[in-house]
Amino acid sequence: MKPERKRPLVAHLIDRLPPDGAERLLADVLHNRSSDWDFVVVCLVEGGPLQKEIEQLGIPVVVLGCRSTWDIRVLARLGQWLRQQQPDVIHTHLFMADTWGRLLGRIAGVSGIMTTVHSTNDWKKIHHHWVDRILSHTNDAIFACTEAVRDQLSVQLGSHIKDKLVTVENGVNVNRVVELSRQNRPESDPNDLLIAIVGRLHEAKGHDILFRAMKLMHADGVKPVLYVIGDGPERVSLENLAVELDLEEAIRFLGFQSNPFAWLSGVSAVAMPSRWEGLPMALLEVMALGLPVVASDAGGMGNVIEDGVNGYTIAIGDDIALAKRMTTLLTDKELRTSMGEHAQQTVNERYNVRRVVESYERAYALADGTRVD
């Protein structure tokens, strides 16, 4: 028997809750949720830094404690939870949750199954694509965070998902970002020319490309200090690269920061030379602070940045162009100010998280099988 509830229940399924892009978007969406639904977050592996923030919203977080994508214990643990709670809608995020959430959700008879695809996911192999293709038949809607992601999915998943694909570009909680940037600002040397990169220390984010661009800038006499905000599996190799390039004094590894925006309050520009992306939350958050960004044309970043107006775009892997554009910004304060103002305006007008909430909840309401346009 289904539990008695005043409102229908939406279960967000995700692997864990680190302060990364997909997870940050989920937290911001829950901050701005309507009162028409009840929500729960189910973490298949573990919680994380965002768990407490979500629980403080009055939203329960359930941690199942599975080890990895193919840990078959998820069959028993998630299956039992679904049978007991019988959510009206399952909304999955990232590959592990997408896989088990869709499979077990359909077996459990959940009426609405939604998936957000947060990136072009160039890491996926042929077997990952086949899993996605098969399980996409269970979806009522698949949200693509950019048109580039939508186009890729339409090719990879097949024609049957055409009417299920909905482009819902990421959004940011602007007020939260601006407020956090004003708290506990660290002291910095006023003589330092500061730039930053924000995100996981992972091959996808292109830190090594930025380091090589830094070497070119220093050789030309423009010598910024770089804040590397974030942590991840590439930290040791990147620290070694900084030494190899003789930049260990100019590159400061700050590690994970619970409030990265305080560190960004003193920088002049931000680099995002990613090799692959969806629509990174960090890009929108940085722009919301009025900072100009030099980003690769990966995923949806080129759709957000109007080259030369609210930032610069470069080709993926082009350290020479990155050095040139960063130098231009660092040596022209008026240009930095203008681009930063346009960046902030772009986010305020087009990428507010409330628009994401409206799109998601509209799809939930149509989860009885009505076509989602």
Side-chain angles (χ1 to χ4, degrees), residues 113-152:
I113 296 180
M114 316 286 163
T115 296
T116 293
V117 181
H118 295 272
S119 172
T120 51
N121 292 317
D122 291 355
W123 61 269
K124 286 186 176 180
K125 307 300 183 184
I126 185 69
H127 62 281
H128 297 105
H129 292 308
W130 274 110
V131 169
D132 282 337
R133 188 183 184 97
I134 292 168
L135 291 178
S136 66
H137 288 273
T138 70
N139 278 99
D140 294 279
I142 300 174
F143 305 114
C145 68
T146 69
E147 285 297 327
V149 170
R150 179 182 178 132
D151 291 344
Q152 185 181 73

Side-chain angles (χ1 to χ4, degrees), residues 9-118:
L9 178 65
V10 176
H12 284 280
L13 269 59
I14 198 161
D15 303 356
R16 45 179 65 82
L17 290 170
D20 295 333
E23 296 84 1
R24 181 67 259 170
L25 175 64
L26 173 56
D28 282 352
V29 164
L30 293 173
H31 270 281
N32 289 270
R33 68 198 185 281
S34 77
S35 59
D36 296 334
W37 307 84
D38 285 333
F39 293 89
V40 60
V41 175
V42 180
C43 297
L44 303 189
V45 179
E46 60 187 2
L50 292 178
Q51 179 176 349
K52 182 177 180 181
E53 178 180 333
I54 291 172
E55 289 175 335
Q56 287 176 338
L57 298 173
I59 296 172
V61 176
V62 178
V63 179
L64 299 184
C66 299
R67 291 189 297 262
S68 65
T69 301
W70 307 117
D71 182 353
I72 61 172
R73 290 181 301 175
V74 73
L75 288 168
R77 294 178 182 180
L78 180 58
Q80 181 182 28
W81 186 89
L82 289 171
R83 287 192 299 273
Q84 291 175 343
Q85 299 301 318
Q86 298 184 42
D88 299 277
V89 174
I90 285 177
H91 190 156
T92 71
H93 308 262
L94 306 178
F95 183 73
M96 180 178 181
D98 293 347
T99 300
W100 296 115
R102 290 187 287 187
L103 176 63
L104 295 176
R106 187 54 72 199
I107 291 172
V110 176
S111 60
I113 296 180
M114 316 286 163
T115 296
T116 293
V117 181
H118 295 272

